[in-house]
Amino acid sequence: EPEVTQTPSHQVTQMGQEVILRCVPISNHLYFYWYRQILGQKVEFLVSFYNNEISEKSEIFDDQFSVERPDGSNFTLKIRSTKLEDSAMYFCASTEQGRNTEAFFGQGTRLTVV
Amino acid sequence: GENVEQHPSTLSVQEGDSAVIKCTYSDSASNYFPWYKQELGKGPQLIIDIRSNVGEKKDQRIAVTLNKTAKHFSLHITETQPEDSAVYFCAATGAAGNKLTFGGGTRVLVKP
């Protein structure tokens, strides 16, 4: 069964450092997403990406965040200068279509900012 | 935007009993309502979904009901087994249909 893969599974970084979280969406999917889950809280939408541009972003997705699809397979989330409150589980997801369709999630990257 | 509330936050059931999780949503234009199961160390995995043109959907031991008038939907697991123990999330896509708004999750524990 096709799956979304994320690397690394766990990332520890110093406050103020840049991190890049990587995702390989399902190959025939066209829509890509990042969500995050702070420990004990809801899974929250960060950003959606289609046709090489951001289609929607949440209030959380400020100037410290960026996304990129550098090649035909990877989809990355960059946090430029990490803060303690960025510590969370980050999930990548992809969908074949853009509306009202099943989203496939990766296993997540646990980001710990110290 | 969309807001989804989920209850209960924890649910403990005896093996073989049924489990019911309820969610409410705020955006009457939402049309797609998936349910995800998350096991420890894994990402959310879709277990069943329902669209607004259907009131009920069943897949083996799992069923989902949707009441669009009341803006609530529920997950029913019958004949629970220990492997059903996990965190379950409901979600809705909102008017645009292009992102998920999640409920807070329900930790289900099935006791053998």
Side-chain angles (χ1 to χ4, degrees):
Chain A
E1 185 177 312
E3 60 179 12
V4 175
T5 56
Q6 290 184 243
T7 54
S9 56
H10 192 187
Q11 173 92 45
V12 181
T13 189
Q14 294 272 347
M15 189 170 54
Q17 294 296 305
E18 175 184 286
V19 293
I20 297 176
L21 309 184
R22 302 182 190 280
C23 170
V24 178
I26 294 173
S27 61
N28 65 330
H29 285 189
L30 300 176
Y31 300 81
F32 315 117
Y33 310 82
W34 285 100
Y35 291 81
R36 80 171 186 189
Q37 184 180 28
I38 295 173
L39 190 63
Q41 297 185 23
K42 290 185 177 186
V43 177
E44 303 171 287
F45 168 78
L46 291 179
V47 66
S48 58
F49 190 87
Y50 169 70
N51 200 25
N52 280 322
E53 61 182 26
I54 291 173
S55 46
E56 188 172 354
K57 58 184 181 180
S58 71
E59 294 175 353
I60 304 166
F61 195 89
D62 62 21
D63 292 344
Q64 295 298 315
F65 291 87
S66 62
V67 289
E68 192 179 30
R69 187 156 164 82
D71 53 44
S73 60
N74 289 285
F75 178 51
T76 62
L77 174 69
K78 181 192 292 186
I79 309 175
R80 193 182 323 154
S81 178
T82 50
K83 303 187 284 269
L84 294 177
E85 53 265 38
D86 293 327
S87 295
M89 196 76 167
Y90 288 81
F91 293 105
C92 173
S94 68
T95 62
E96 189 173 0
Q97 301 167 30
R99 290 174 56 85
N100 300 321
T101 187
E102 178 179 358
F104 290 79
F105 283 79
Q107 82 279 16
T109 293
R110 181 170 299 283
L111 177 65
T112 303
V113 183
V114 297
Chain B
E2 177 66 277
N3 183 48
V4 178
E5 298 295 332
Q6 182 172 347
H7 300 280
S9 56
T10 59
L11 181 59
S12 182
V13 296
Q14 207 65 39
E15 182 179 358
D17 288 350
S18 295
V20 180
I21 304 170
K22 298 183 178 182
C23 289
T24 60
Y25 62 99
S26 61
D27 189 344
S28 57
S30 284
N31 285 316
Y32 178 65
F33 307 91
W35 285 88
Y36 284 87
K37 177 182 181 181
Q38 187 178 21
E39 296 175 316
L40 200 60
K42 298 183 179 180
Q45 185 170 22
L46 182 80
I47 54 170
I48 195 166
D49 56 14
I50 191 167
R51 289 180 170 78
S52 58
N53 58 344
V54 174
E56 185 174 355
K57 184 176 177 181
K58 190 172 181 181
D59 182 3
Q60 299 181 16
R61 296 187 297 109
I62 295 172
V64 58
T65 58
L66 171 65
N67 184 327
K68 283 218 73 177
T69 304
K71 290 190 284 187
H72 66 70
F73 56 115
S74 301
L75 178 72
H76 304 251
I77 307 173
T78 58
E79 300 171 26
T80 53
Q81 300 167 6
E83 52 264 38
D84 295 328
S85 295
V87 179
Y88 292 80
F89 292 96
C90 62
T93 50
N98 60 354
K99 67 182 182 188
L100 293 172
T101 300
F102 284 86
T106 298
R107 184 173 300 277
V108 174
L109 175 63
V110 180
K111 295 180 288 186

